[in-house]
Amino acid sequence: MRLIVTDGADAAGHAAAELLAERITRAPKFRLGVATGSSPESTYRHLAALLPPRPHAIELFALDEYIGLPRGHAQSYEETLKQGIASLLNLDLGSVHVPDAWHSDPTAAGLRYDALLANHGGIDLQILGIGANGHIGFNEPFSEFGSRTRRVALTEETRRANSRFFATVDQVPTYAMTQGISNILAASAVLLIATGQHKPDALVAAIEGPIAWACPASALQLHRDVTVVCDSAAASSLTQTIPTPPARRQGANNVRLR
Ligand code: F6R
């Protein structure tokens, strides 16, 4: 695991974008797993500036999608991918893939998304944020590490946290489709971005705590290629790990014990 700690959220976005740009430009085509939410917003902006201004051979795969929002709703993750990320990166809308949260049979929709991921050859790099409760995607605490794309219930904590994107908390959906933890672990590489004062506890549990269902992000300790980029606010409670010095950022296993 590599840990990069920056001064401020925007610098974290820039560091994450540099890492992404380096990997994307050396691959002829790139299957990018994308998180939505606030944490990776500046990463996508910086990435757009770092990539050459031509359509890239990038396919975007959403981690999750709310159930219950009408198609085209501004807060649906499909719209965020289309109007936000794909448009920033100058990508064809055909390159955007989202779990079908409008399907009448969520089990079938989950299986179909898993098959789509497999048919595309899997994800080259999965971008993740982390919930204050340690969730990744919408895999809330006690999600099984073997879980795959499926319908899940959102916790009240998650609904309250996401209510900032809606007029009231009652408008935040109660259910979502999410890739499972085993989908996330199947990505060739993972880039976790954590910024701000609501994330220290979750980050400590994820990278210094025991691997435990209570913190879904702790499953990332089982992955062979994880980079965590965070700002100093999110890193403020880390005690066991120290950040990777800039010169060693490209190497593996750069997190050292204090
Ligand atoms: C979003 C997602 C979530 C968020 C997490 C953090 O697609 O899967 O896991 O990454 O809730 O959200 P922010 O970044 O808004 O704090």
Side-chain angles (χ1 to χ4, degrees):
M1 181 183 281
R2 287 165 296 278
L3 171 66
I4 298 170
V5 181
T6 63
D7 283 333
D10 191 62
H14 191 264
E18 278 185 327
L19 182 146
L20 275 169
E22 196 267 323
R23 294 205 183 201
I24 289 171
T25 47
R26 78 170 129 92
K29 67 171 187 177
F30 204 82
R31 293 147 304 192
L32 182 61
V34 287
T36 49
S38 307
S39 309
E41 267 175 9
S42 71
T43 301
Y44 299 131
R45 223 174 350 91
H46 285 298
L47 181 62
L50 289 173
L51 290 176
R54 57 168 172 76
H56 310 282
I58 302 175
E59 298 269 329
L60 299 179
F61 296 87
L63 256 181
D64 39 21
E65 176 61 280
Y66 288 119
I67 291 177
L69 296 181
R71 208 153 208 153
H73 189 286
Q75 294 307 328
S76 76
Y77 291 167
E78 184 174 65
E79 282 306 293
T80 306
L81 260 67
K82 286 182 175 169
Q83 309 302 336
I85 308 169
S87 141
L88 264 176
L89 301 181
N90 198 18
L91 302 178
D92 195 288
L93 292 187
S95 67
V96 171
H97 308 281
V98 179
D100 186 357
W102 297 273
H103 200 292
S104 57
D105 180 348
T107 306
L111 289 171
R112 214 161 65 175
Y113 200 63
D114 289 342
L116 178 97
L117 293 170
N119 291 340
H120 278 80
I123 301 286
D124 292 306
L125 184 144
Q126 178 64 56
I127 299 174
L128 295 176
I130 182 170
N133 64 1
H135 74 210
I136 45 176
F138 277 137
N139 295 285
E140 301 283 28
F142 301 100
S143 295
E144 288 167 354
F145 285 5
S147 55
R148 303 191 67 82
T149 308
R150 69 206 186 286
R151 186 179 89 132
V152 291
L154 302 179
T155 61
E156 283 313 303
E157 184 180 6
T158 296
R159 293 184 67 237
R160 268 199 310 278
N162 288 7
S163 65
R164 69 192 193 279
F165 299 113
F166 295 82
T168 68
V169 70
D170 295 337
Q171 293 178 7
V172 183
T174 313
Y175 293 96
M177 292 291 297
T178 185
Q179 286 191 44
I181 295 177
S182 94
N183 295 102
I184 292 169
L185 294 178
S188 300
V190 173
L191 172 61
L192 174 70
I193 303 165
T195 57
Q197 290 163 354
H198 300 298
K199 303 298 170 76
D201 291 351
L203 205 55
V204 168
I207 69 178
E208 295 186 348
I211 298 171
W213 287 9
C215 178
S218 68
L220 299 176
Q221 294 177 36
L222 298 167
H223 196 283
R224 69 186 179 286
D225 184 356
V226 178
T227 304
V228 177
V229 180
C230 57
D231 65 0
S232 41
S236 59
S237 295
L238 295 174
T239 59
Q240 302 298 311
T241 44
I242 56 174
T244 304
R248 298 184 58 209
R249 280 183 187 170
Q250 300 306 322
N253 304 322
N254 285 340
V255 167
R256 289 174 287 151
L257 294 179
R258 277 190 197 278

